[in-house]
Amino acid sequence: MEMLWLWWRTSLFAVIIAAVATARPYRILLDTDVDSDDFFAMLYLLKLNKSEFDLQAITINTNEWSDGGHSVNHIYDILYMMGRDDVAVGVGGEGGILEDGTIQPNVGGYIPIIDQGSGTAGPCRYRQTIPVGAGGRLYKDTNFGYRKSFLPQGSRRYSPLEQPTAQQVLIKKISDGPISLFVIGAHTNIAIFLMTNPHLKKNIEHIYIMGGGVNSKNPNGGNHGNLYTCFKSNPYAEFNFFGDPFAAYQVIHSGIPVTLVPLDATNTIPITQNFFEEFERNQHTYEAQYVFKTLKMVRDTWFDNHFYESCFMWDSFMSGVSTSIMRNLHKRNGENEFAEMEYMNITVITSNKPYGISDGSNTLFDGRSVPKFNLSKNGVHSGHVQTGIQDPFCFQSNGIGKCKDGYTEKVSGPDSVRVLLATRAKQNRDNSSSLDREFFVSFLKVLNQPQNQGRFNFTSQFPYYKEVLYKPDFKGEELGKTVVFDMDMSAGDFLALFYLLKVPVKTINLKAILVTPTGWANAATIDVIYDLLHMMGRDDIIVGLGDPFGLNQSDPNNPSVGSCKYLQAIPHGSGGLLDSDTLFGLARDLPRSPRRYTAENSVEFGAPRNTDHPQLRQPLALEVWKSVVKSIDIGSKITILTNGPLTTLAKILLADANASSIIQDVFILGGHIDYTRHDNGNVINVPSNKYAEMNMFLDPFAAKVVFDSVLDVTLIPLSMQRKVCLFPHIIKKLDFENKTSEAHFSQRLLTRMYQLQQRNHRYQHMDTFLGEILGAVILTTDQRTLNPTFEAKPLNVEATGDTSRDGQIIVDPKQRKSIKVLKRFDHLSYYDVFADRLADAKQSAVIGSFNEQKRIWSTPQIRTEIKS
Ligand SMILES: [Ca+2]
Ligand SMILES: [Ca+2]
């Protein structure tokens, strides 16, 4: 009888559980910083049965491992491959936090809460721990090159002022009903949401987090945390929590139930060689292939030789643990298939003791009679806040850093929160398997299962896909002077590039492009250059990537990370990097070149981290420079046009003693010359600096190297650029019949910039970009057409480290040589010169757009040779 009763009770329980399980799928919102491991986690979620786990939305965390414009399109492409264009995607936003602590709608999350001001430009207190170029954001933005070579491209994309923001998506999806949040980046978006929408908290059933480390020991050094670029000052924090400690505090202390998968657990699931090899043998879906390719590149570019001991499943493990907990909610204490769980009382450290001080490090308290957000004057947020990697406060004489910002510390008392925490990964129940963790089995099974699988990759999508490189044949043609174009990939630089490519090759022979990523775009945007060159049939032009840090800006101990002292003037959001990185949403209309950024694939081609095979990876600026020098005839020289900060040129001069003797002359677009100080410069977001021009300001030390060199320098200053800033004029001039593809594209870009300028104040500086075409026009147009006149002056540039003066041009009688400055030109003819050039059928595009390319790849027997 008792048995029967027990049976009856168990069955009833099972029926109830089944009813709960079938009643509704778990709605999930994923907030991610789009690191590699993040999309592993995302694909794992997308592969689960949608009637059980329904990934409703993805919001992008924009202040960590990837950049908004690149990461949002990366996510769109993965979702397109997976047939999930229904998943909402939110990124960015323009709102700010006012001085009185009022949080405006749509804060973009580009800046941690403590430094969030009125816009999207700002310092990089925590983010400076993340490498900017190789090994960091460049790798993630491009996914080592696979984002472009593997993922198909659908119709969803970033578009200015049309892209849903992170906060909009959060509000919509959380208002719609009960939902669980998965947080696998810094907590800025979620904290801002919770602080501004307390009435919607009730809809958030649970927050699952990858982040923190309580009792963790880093396998490389015994530290709690994993900030490998910042161990010396902060050995405690984990990257996600360090990305915005104050935000993480808000989330953990929100009152919503929290489950944490911290380093304690992830450190017990290193990616073993056995797992790696098993994965290599099991790639039965596009998504499994994409993940494996990525993982392999992560291994091959790992910073040391201990990949198998120091690379872990972080976010992906969290997605497994969390969904397993949700599946087993009838069990107690978070019991699940993949991790041991424990309750602990913790908090997140946001400032360092002693509390109640005011030392200039804490914007929530310093100089305020009422602390921001009404925080308690001597409370846990009122201490010293770590200012950066080299914060002197954080160093102790014993060599062990003392800063704990972002640490998830075990505490008791009123300021602690009880959270459920994963402590270790469970062993594989099958002892005979080579996979030693239960989650490895699930991960491979789920990614390879036929359900919910990806439809195609970039090439298999098209029945007649063919990779073509377009290279012109200049045999027998007389070639003009050798020109190298150095650009920072602002919108105007692309217009200037179109123009340069249209100038007859007998006038100029554009040999190479150098990319200076210390200005208006992130390094990954180099792919837009490749695509534009492909469109114009110029896959022969080599492209070299410059250093991501300005002169004296990288960390002396670790050159992969460094300061954003000057770069912080550029907004991350609208009108700034978000738009440059996507060419205002239009980059994806360019045909896709087989050339692209690719990380060096070291292991496959020899010794670890071998740099002897530049042909197999993205060449560096200096390598490209050397190859140009080698390629020219003895006695001939090179003309350089720079359209961005002078970082790359200065670094070439410093690295190559012979460079100045082989450079004929340098045309520099930039510099503001106004001896009377009537006209201001154009440095935005640094109100104290009235008279500098952006290209000089962004790397003043590099500018000084160039000004002090023996080079023959011609400046195209801001005052001249300002004469050619009439959008309606140039748009109208481009409005002719039978437009070339390049004229059509340029007109669309200019029209979009002009409309944005009229619609929204974040775009008020669009003139700056229009003026950027001038350098290319002056360099290549004969004297009679524009009738330019120049004056020579002994000029120098301020470069002392004082941002209120750096980048300003001064008359310097001590300067041995003179700088030539464009003084006047026929600016009324200028628009005709530009438009006529783009209208010319000669040296025109060989393939007009991505759509045209898709048509060719979808149709048999269309000629793919170059049109003459
Ligand atoms: Ca992440
Ligand atoms: Ca530029």
Side-chain angles (χ1 to χ4, degrees):
M1 185 65 194
E2 200 175 56
M3 281 299 284
L4 186 67
W5 183 82
L6 192 66
W7 171 85
W8 179 82
R9 201 181 63 164
T10 322
S11 309
L12 182 68
F13 194 57
V15 168
I16 292 167
I17 293 305
V20 169
T22 51
R24 49 148 199 177
Y26 288 106
R27 298 174 69 243
I28 295 171
L29 182 146
L30 179 70
D31 187 75
T32 162
D33 61 344
V34 201
D35 193 346
S36 318
D37 198 37
D38 290 71
F39 68 76
F40 301 180
M42 173 184 151
L43 283 165
Y44 183 89
L45 292 174
L46 286 168
K47 295 283 290 178
L48 298 175
N49 188 340
K50 201 177 156 194
S51 64
E52 198 180 3
F53 298 104
D54 183 7
L55 181 62
Q56 288 261 318
I58 293 167
T59 50
I60 296 172
N61 164 234
T62 45
N63 63 8
E64 285 222 285
W65 283 90
S66 63
D67 297 295
H70 292 294
S71 57
V72 67
N73 284 335
H74 191 182
I75 295 286
Y76 279 140
D77 290 346
I78 292 175
L79 290 170
Y80 177 65
M81 175 172 83
M82 301 304 289
R84 290 299 305 273
D85 281 347
D86 60 305
V87 177
V89 179
V91 70
E94 296 298 313
I97 300 180
L98 305 182
E99 273 302 299
D100 67 1
T102 306
I103 302 175
Q104 295 176 320
N106 283 317
V107 172
Y110 299 101
I111 312 289
I113 292 174
I114 187 169
D115 292 322
Q116 176 66 57
S118 60
T120 67
C124 53
R125 182 194 297 259
Y126 306 116
R127 201 189 196 191
Q128 64 182 267
T129 53
I130 295 173
V132 175
R137 281 153 52 194
L138 173 58
Y139 279 2
K140 309 307 169 181
D141 284 346
T142 58
N143 193 29
F144 305 94
Y146 292 130
R147 180 186 141 208
K148 192 177 174 194
S149 68
F150 191 90
L151 291 178
Q153 176 179 316
S155 57
R156 287 209 296 175
R157 61 162 82 176
Y158 165 79
S159 194
L161 302 184
E162 285 171 19
Q163 170 61 44
T165 67
Q167 293 300 321
Q168 284 168 347
V169 169
L170 280 161
I171 291 169
K172 170 80 176 73
K173 291 297 173 181
I174 295 171
S175 302
D176 281 353
I179 196 162
S180 297
L181 306 187
F182 281 30
V183 187
I184 55 177
H187 291 216
T188 317
N189 288 336
I190 307 299
I192 294 279
F193 171 82
L194 295 172
M195 291 167 85
T196 46
N197 299 277
H199 62 290
L200 289 174
K201 275 187 188 177
K202 62 179 192 304
N203 280 3
I204 304 174
E205 296 183 298
H206 206 104
I207 304 179
Y208 296 91
I209 296 166
M210 190 279 131
V214 182
N215 297 317
S216 48
K217 287 270 175 284
N218 187 294
N220 285 338
N223 301 292
H224 284 295
N226 69 347
L227 301 178
Y228 65 93
T229 54
C230 193
F231 276 147
K232 289 204 175 98
S233 50
N234 185 329
Y236 296 93
E238 174 278 336
F239 267 110
N240 287 348
F241 277 55
F242 188 72
D244 193 341
F246 185 79
Y249 181 97
Q250 298 300 324
V251 173
I252 297 278
H253 287 258
S254 63
I256 299 165
V258 165
T259 294
L260 207 60
V261 179
L263 296 176
D264 307 51
T266 57
N267 281 350
T268 65
I269 182 164
I271 291 176
T272 60
Q273 189 160 358
N274 282 339
F275 168 72
F276 188 90
E277 286 166 1
E278 189 62 26
F279 197 173
E280 193 159 30
R281 286 189 288 272
N282 284 288
Q283 302 176 56
H284 308 301
T285 58
Y286 289 114
E287 53 278 19
Q289 288 166 23
Y290 191 58
V291 171
F292 181 75
K293 272 175 180 294
T294 305
L295 190 63
K296 186 168 185 299
M297 200 63 124
V298 171
R299 184 194 70 173
D300 293 352
T301 58
W302 199 247
F303 61 90
D304 64 12
N305 293 323
H306 300 285
F307 169 81
Y308 292 120
E309 296 92 56
S310 56
C311 182
F312 303 96
M313 296 198 103
W314 291 284
D315 303 340
S316 44
F317 185 52
M318 176 279 199
S319 67
V321 172
S322 305
T323 48
S324 181
I325 290 174
M326 292 160 92
R327 253 189 210 126
N328 292 286
L329 273 186
H330 56 288
K331 297 182 184 163
R332 288 152 56 123
N333 301 333
E335 196 177 311
N336 71 86
E337 295 166 88
F338 306 124
E340 317 267 358
M341 307 298 292
E342 202 178 297
Y343 279 100
M344 285 185 204
N345 288 323
I346 63 162
T347 188
V348 180
I349 308 290
T350 62
S351 73
N352 300 277
K353 288 174 183 168
Y355 297 143
I357 49 109
S358 182
D359 65 0
S361 69
N362 190 335
T363 62
L364 301 172
F365 290 85
D366 292 333
R368 296 171 188 280
S369 51
V370 181
K372 234 176 193 175
F373 312 127
N374 279 318
L375 298 171
S376 155
K377 270 192 175 164
N378 294 300
V380 294
H381 305 300
S382 68
H384 177 90
V385 179
Q386 185 163 1
T387 56
I389 297 170
Q390 299 291 354
D391 183 350
F393 175 93
C394 305
F395 291 91
Q396 297 188 104
S397 52
N398 66 6
I400 298 172
K402 71 171 177 186
C403 278
K404 290 186 173 179
D405 307 59
Y407 180 42
T408 42
E409 190 162 39
K410 228 171 163 172
V411 288
S412 52
D415 210 47
S416 70
V417 186
R418 189 163 182 258
V419 301
L420 185 60
L421 205 128
T423 54
R424 69 166 39 242
K426 283 187 178 170
Q427 299 283 333
N428 187 353
R429 280 168 296 186
D430 175 4
N431 294 332
S432 63
S433 165
S434 67
L435 304 176
D436 62 353
R437 296 288 178 264
E438 188 68 29
F439 182 63
F440 285 150
V441 182
S442 169
F443 187 73
L444 293 187
K445 182 174 149 250
V446 169
L447 279 189
N448 282 298
Q449 71 191 12
Q451 293 89 343
N452 306 327
Q453 73 173 305
R455 302 174 295 169
F456 35 64
N457 66 15
F458 182 66
T459 58
S460 70
Q461 181 182 6
F462 306 104
Y464 302 97
Y465 175 80
K466 192 177 165 205
E467 196 173 292
V468 192
L469 283 173
Y470 299 120
K471 295 185 181 183
D473 181 9
F474 293 135
K475 245 186 231 124
E477 284 191 56
E478 186 194 333
L479 297 177
K481 67 174 165 187
T482 303
V483 172
V484 169
F485 181 41
D486 180 338
M487 61 195 278
D488 71 343
M489 306 185 287
S490 52
D493 297 0
F494 288 100
L495 296 166
L497 179 56
F498 271 130
Y499 183 87
L500 290 172
L501 293 169
K502 297 290 293 186
V503 177
V505 291
K506 69 172 193 300
T507 308
I508 66 155
N509 176 20
L510 182 61
K511 272 264 186 187
I513 293 171
L514 302 178
V515 175
T516 297
T518 54
W520 280 95
N522 288 295
T525 306
I526 193 170
D527 280 349
V528 183
I529 300 178
Y530 283 125
D531 290 348
L532 191 152
L533 290 174
H534 189 61
M535 169 179 172
M536 299 301 289
R538 293 305 303 270
D539 290 324
D540 59 310
I541 295 177
I542 45 177
V543 183
L545 181 58
D547 200 284
F549 289 104
L551 234 57
N552 310 339
Q553 300 305 303
S554 58
D555 186 293
N557 301 320
N558 184 352
S560 73
V561 293
S563 149
C564 61
K565 181 172 175 176
Y566 299 99
L567 205 57
Q568 66 178 292
I570 295 182
H572 288 278
S574 294
L577 297 165
L578 181 62
D579 283 311
S580 294
D581 286 344
T582 55
L583 205 44
F584 292 78
L586 295 178
R588 286 156 82 87
D589 289 341
L590 295 170
R592 198 183 292 204
S593 170
R595 290 204 294 171
R596 62 180 186 277
Y597 173 82
T598 178
E600 59 192 82
N601 192 347
S602 52
V603 172
E604 190 176 339
F605 300 106
R609 283 150 288 284
N610 182 356
T611 54
D612 294 341
H613 295 91
Q615 73 276 19
L616 300 172
R617 57 158 173 79
Q618 171 58 49
L620 303 176
L622 194 59
E623 291 163 347
V624 162
W625 168 254
K626 283 181 176 161
S627 90
V628 173
V629 170
K630 228 178 180 175
S631 74
I632 58 170
D633 300 333
I634 295 168
S636 59
K637 292 194 169 191
I638 300 166
T639 294
I640 298 180
L641 168 65
T642 70
N643 254 41
L646 295 170
T647 312
T648 306
L649 179 55
K651 290 193 177 186
I652 286 173
L653 292 176
L654 295 171
D656 177 5
N658 292 326
S660 46
S661 66
I662 205 131
I663 298 172
Q664 176 87 40
D665 45 11
V666 179
F667 283 71
I668 294 174
L669 183 104
H672 179 47
I673 296 160
D674 178 29
Y675 314 116
T676 59
R677 303 248 142 152
H678 281 312
D679 287 335
N680 286 355
N682 69 350
V683 176
I684 53 176
N685 298 311
V686 186
S688 63
N689 192 325
K690 283 205 178 72
Y691 301 111
E693 178 277 337
M694 211 60 176
N695 286 339
M696 299 295 119
F697 174 80
L698 286 165
D699 194 345
F701 298 102
K704 191 162 170 54
V705 167
V706 174
F707 275 61
D708 286 346
S709 73
V710 298
L711 293 177
D712 178 358
V713 172
T714 301
L715 274 192
I716 315 292
L718 189 58
S719 55
M720 294 294 109
Q721 297 170 41
R722 281 176 171 156
K723 288 187 185 294
V724 290
C725 285
L726 290 174
F727 272 107
H729 235 77
I730 194 159
I731 290 166
K732 190 156 182 288
K733 292 279 182 193
L734 285 168
D735 210 10
F736 41 77
E737 296 273 303
N738 301 324
K739 270 196 233 27
T740 59
S741 298
E742 57 274 21
H744 180 68
F745 186 91
S746 301
Q747 194 190 28
R748 280 182 72 207
L749 177 59
L750 288 161
T751 305
R752 182 165 285 190
M753 286 158 69
Y754 181 48
Q755 285 169 349
L756 290 167
Q757 186 184 42
Q758 291 179 308
R759 265 177 73 188
N760 188 296
H761 72 283
R762 300 283 185 205
Y763 292 91
Q764 62 191 339
H765 57 280
M766 291 300 105
D767 295 0
T768 302
F769 303 133
L770 183 49
E772 289 189 300
I773 310 168
L774 184 61
V777 176
I778 292 290
L779 168 69
T780 56
T781 309
D782 67 67
Q783 292 285 318
R784 287 157 302 174
T785 317
L786 289 177
N787 201 16
T789 55
F790 300 87
E791 62 179 349
K793 287 265 181 185
L795 298 180
N796 214 327
V797 59
E798 288 259 12
T800 60
D802 172 1
T803 49
S804 70
R805 300 183 58 89
D806 279 345
Q808 297 184 11
I809 303 267
I810 42 177
V811 178
D812 179 4
K814 290 201 298 286
Q815 188 73 335
R816 285 166 294 141
K817 65 157 194 214
S818 290
I819 303 272
K820 261 191 285 176
V821 182
L822 178 65
K823 201 179 169 198
R824 75 175 65 84
F825 66 103
D826 177 5
H827 60 270
L828 297 175
S829 308
Y830 165 85
Y831 298 104
D832 290 313
V833 171
F834 179 76
D836 290 350
R837 198 55 100 190
L838 262 66
D840 195 342
K842 287 193 210 109
Q843 291 182 209
S844 183
V846 299
I847 178 144
S849 64
F850 183 58
N851 277 336
E852 190 180 327
Q853 207 171 30
K854 284 200 298 186
R855 272 198 300 279
I856 292 170
W857 292 334
S858 306
T859 323
Q861 292 170 336
I862 283 194
R863 277 162 28 94
T864 51
E865 303 96 75
I866 298 187
K867 294 175 222 159
S868 57

